[in-house]
Amino acid sequence: EEDQELLGSWGFEINESDPEEADPVVAIVGRPNVGKSTIINRIIGHREAVVEDKPGVTRDRVSYKAEWAGKDFTLVDTGGWEADAKGIDAQVAAQAEIAVAHADVVLLVVDAIVGISNTDEAIVRMLRRVKKPILLVANKVDAEHQEAEVHALWSLGMGEPFPVSGVHGRGLADLLDALLKVIPEHSQYAEPEALGGPRRIALVGRPNVGKSSLLNKLADEERAVVNDLAGTTRDPVDEIVELGDRPWRFVDTAGIRRRVHMAKGADFYASLRTQTAIERSEVCVVLLDVSEPISEQDVRIIQQVVDSGRALVLAFNKWDTLDEERRELLEREIDRDLAHVAWAPRVNISARTGWHKDKLVPALETALEAWDSRISTGRFNAFLGEIVAAHPHPLRGGKQPRILFGTQVSSRPPKFVLFTTGFLDPGYRRFIVRRLRETFDFTGTPIEISMRVRE
Ligand code: GDP
Ligand code: GDP
């Protein structure tokens, strides 16, 4: 229609892919140095496997679009974490576990020449519970005479090993042919935009804020339907809990319930799990412990949620411990440290007693509604027209950048693009965001505004 045409004239496309038709997902797991990246580079062609250079944990899983014999699929790499000598097995296994939970097919890569290591075995132990197709890839078989080495890999109990050479490309065609035989048409597990099904909630927060207490309070009393959600039987990654007459999917409850404590790598593991849970969720409940001052770690976790574009609810837990003095301090801490997320609904609860736990669902629903929301281009431009008329952009060097047109390009979270004749000052952009929030109720969702400038 008209909008689309106008956008097209700016070289801009609205891309609304159908989430129910996501390409099948293939996870590549294996310890460091077995050749995962090399194999991925071979499969995706000549493009470099660009590992996102983001600090922290978000770079740990990278996806690539791949294709074989006309069939599209997504390859998920699990490499790239810091090798910490002590915690490495646990970290590799955790990475693999999370990647595998959302894959339709798993490629387990081992180094056929070096043979099986303890880390390989740790990964295999995790994979034994997985009821998904797993192909065992015996890498570094560069020449035919090395194929004898491959027989030893039958002992892993992962079926027939496929000998390949990532470096030379040897054997990859056979491997990919075998992959196509087991791959589904569309992903059964892809995340996160899946429509339908229960909405996904992550309970996050630093250790001891009360995540597991809250989960127990909600689950035990509200008929938890714990089922086999990630394809693993003994340790479901997620749980469905019925709250307010509808089911909700709490993501990575395994991470909350299991309370892994490792001397080394524990922080890494915890922050990895937090980031992954955030990414897998639609709405995050960040718990804060009101018996202690709001900490940098609390603020950082809230920022992770905002940066990931998830809906946000703040739950101030352990309210039963609050006395008048602490309560006043808390109000000041909230003003000082949480002013930038004043748009997030706040609920005061006690996970221990269950007090106010019924306030959670309305807050979640409010936040999700805003997160899902769409404003028509007509309404949005009427809004822009009004604020520009009342508060035009200040003159800059005799010129005045004008907003020609704007549109919401996506939801979840709402993202807007403004088409302008010049760069808008950051202050003016903040003003627009503020007015947007005042005009359209965006309680509980981050919003994003970007610009397309035509000088
Ligand atoms: P990753 O950590 O599992 O992603 O492993 P990389 O892809 O980074 O490979 C680790 C090392 O193994 C690199 O030095 C690669 O060049 C080497 N390598 C990967 N595939 C092969 C192979 O098929 N044959 C041989 N000889 N070396 C390989
Ligand atoms: P997690 O590490 O975030 O999962 O925190 P837990 O649920 O294990 O709780 C840590 C500690 O805080 C436990 O001793 C809980 O009993 C306690 N706790 C959790 N919620 C509350 C609450 O609402 N009030 C009080 N007084 N203590 C709580």
Side-chain angles (χ1 to χ4, degrees):
E1 38 153 314
E2 219 172 282
D3 289 352
Q4 296 281 356
E5 235 167 74
L6 187 48
L7 288 172
S9 76
W10 287 77
F12 199 81
E13 235 178 276
I14 297 186
N15 182 12
E16 296 270 9
S17 57
D18 184 346
E20 307 221 63
E21 304 266 290
D23 288 340
V25 177
V26 178
I28 302 216
V29 301
R31 62 177 175 79
N33 281 318
V34 292
K36 295 183 298 299
S37 325
T38 309
I39 291 172
I40 287 168
N41 274 321
R42 274 271 160 198
I43 296 177
I44 65 176
H46 299 293
R47 283 164 290 158
E48 276 288 295
V50 188
V51 174
E52 272 179 274
D53 190 20
K54 280 196 211 147
V57 294
T58 49
R59 67 177 168 191
D60 289 303
R61 284 184 302 148
V62 185
S63 313
Y64 307 91
K65 292 277 150 224
E67 184 255 29
W68 179 251
K71 173 84 191 141
D72 292 319
F73 55 97
T74 301
L75 265 180
V76 178
D77 184 11
T78 54
W81 56 87
E82 297 299 327
D84 160 339
K86 289 265 170 55
I88 188 75
D89 284 6
Q91 288 169 17
V92 173
Q95 273 287 353
E97 176 185 342
I98 293 163
V100 162
H102 305 292
D104 299 284
V105 183
V106 180
L107 298 182
L108 167 61
V109 183
V110 296
D111 183 328
I113 307 307
V114 168
I116 300 162
S117 75
N118 290 339
T119 310
D120 294 329
E121 277 168 355
I123 296 171
V124 166
R125 270 197 300 281
M126 184 275 296
L127 288 176
R128 282 224 174 89
R129 303 197 295 262
V130 174
K131 298 198 180 84
K132 297 176 184 182
I134 300 171
L135 301 181
L136 175 58
V137 183
N139 192 33
K140 308 202 185 177
V141 182
D142 299 339
E144 197 166 346
H145 71 268
Q146 291 171 314
E147 288 199 6
E149 314 284 345
V150 170
H151 293 295
L153 302 176
W154 279 97
S155 70
L156 279 173
M158 288 281 128
E160 180 189 355
F162 288 84
V164 305
S165 167
V167 165
H168 301 296
R170 213 172 162 273
L172 281 175
D174 289 343
L175 173 68
L176 291 169
D177 286 343
L179 178 66
L180 291 200
K181 290 202 182 109
V182 294
I183 212 167
E185 182 67 14
H186 298 297
S187 183
Q188 315 291 303
Y189 302 93
E191 302 230 75
E193 305 296 332
L195 291 173
R199 310 270 350 219
R200 293 185 305 275
I201 310 177
L203 296 180
V204 293
R206 62 184 165 76
N208 292 317
V209 290
K211 297 181 294 297
S212 72
S213 304
L214 180 60
L215 180 64
N216 283 329
K217 216 31 165 200
L218 294 172
D220 294 350
E221 294 181 7
E222 311 280 344
R223 280 191 294 135
V225 188
V226 179
N227 54 5
D228 177 16
L229 285 171
T232 62
T233 37
R234 268 192 290 154
D235 296 310
V237 173
D238 299 346
E239 287 172 43
I240 303 272
V241 178
E242 223 173 273
L243 300 175
D245 289 335
R246 64 187 255 204
W248 298 80
R249 181 175 185 148
F250 284 74
V251 305
D252 194 28
T253 49
I256 293 174
R257 292 198 185 278
R258 214 184 284 152
R259 288 167 91 46
V260 184
H261 289 296
M262 284 179 294
K264 266 213 161 183
D267 287 350
F268 174 91
Y269 190 88
S271 69
L272 166 67
R273 279 218 107 109
T274 300
Q275 183 62 34
T276 309
I278 291 170
E279 281 170 14
R280 295 193 44 227
S281 71
E282 297 174 290
V283 57
C284 296
V285 177
V286 178
L287 281 85
L288 298 118
D289 178 346
V290 298
S291 70
E292 288 175 15
I294 294 173
S295 72
E296 265 179 50
Q297 201 181 350
D298 295 322
V299 173
R300 198 160 55 236
I301 291 171
I302 290 169
Q303 197 56 42
Q304 273 177 279
V305 174
V306 174
D307 290 344
S308 304
R310 293 325 192 243
L312 172 67
V313 171
L314 299 174
F316 290 86
N317 188 34
K318 309 197 188 178
W319 204 262
D320 54 294
T321 66
L322 214 55
D323 58 23
E324 204 43 51
E325 193 186 349
R326 176 71 197 118
R327 187 180 178 137
E328 278 169 24
L329 282 174
L330 178 68
E331 285 302 331
R332 262 179 271 156
E333 288 167 15
I334 291 172
D335 288 344
R336 188 189 62 210
D337 298 332
L338 305 181
H340 61 297
V341 286
W343 45 261
R346 280 159 46 181
V347 289
N348 304 326
I349 58 169
S350 169
R352 175 170 286 174
T353 66
W355 179 79
H356 269 186
K357 72 180 161 70
D358 53 323
K359 305 264 183 194
L360 210 52
V361 166
L364 289 165
E365 282 171 345
T366 300
L368 280 169
E369 195 180 319
W371 192 67
D372 288 339
S373 67
R374 266 187 185 282
I375 294 172
S376 74
T377 302
R379 270 183 83 198
F380 185 55
N381 283 284
F383 157 81
L384 286 175
E386 269 167 41
I387 63 166
V388 166
H391 304 275
H393 193 286
L395 281 171
R396 222 181 330 96
K399 280 194 177 172
Q400 186 168 46
R402 279 192 307 131
I403 300 172
L404 301 172
F405 176 78
T407 190
Q408 181 174 352
V409 287
S410 61
S411 58
R412 309 178 147 201
K415 291 187 184 168
F416 300 88
V417 174
L418 301 180
F419 298 85
T420 68
T421 60
F423 285 98
L424 303 182
D425 288 345
Y428 196 72
R429 275 156 70 180
R430 280 196 299 275
F431 163 71
I432 294 175
V433 171
R434 208 161 52 238
R435 279 305 174 87
L436 251 181
R437 285 198 177 280
E438 284 165 14
T439 310
F440 307 98
D441 186 11
F442 285 122
T443 303
T445 184
I447 54 182
E448 210 178 274
I449 294 199
S450 58
M451 287 185 299
R452 294 284 182 286
V453 179
R454 183 179 268 177
E455 293 281 358

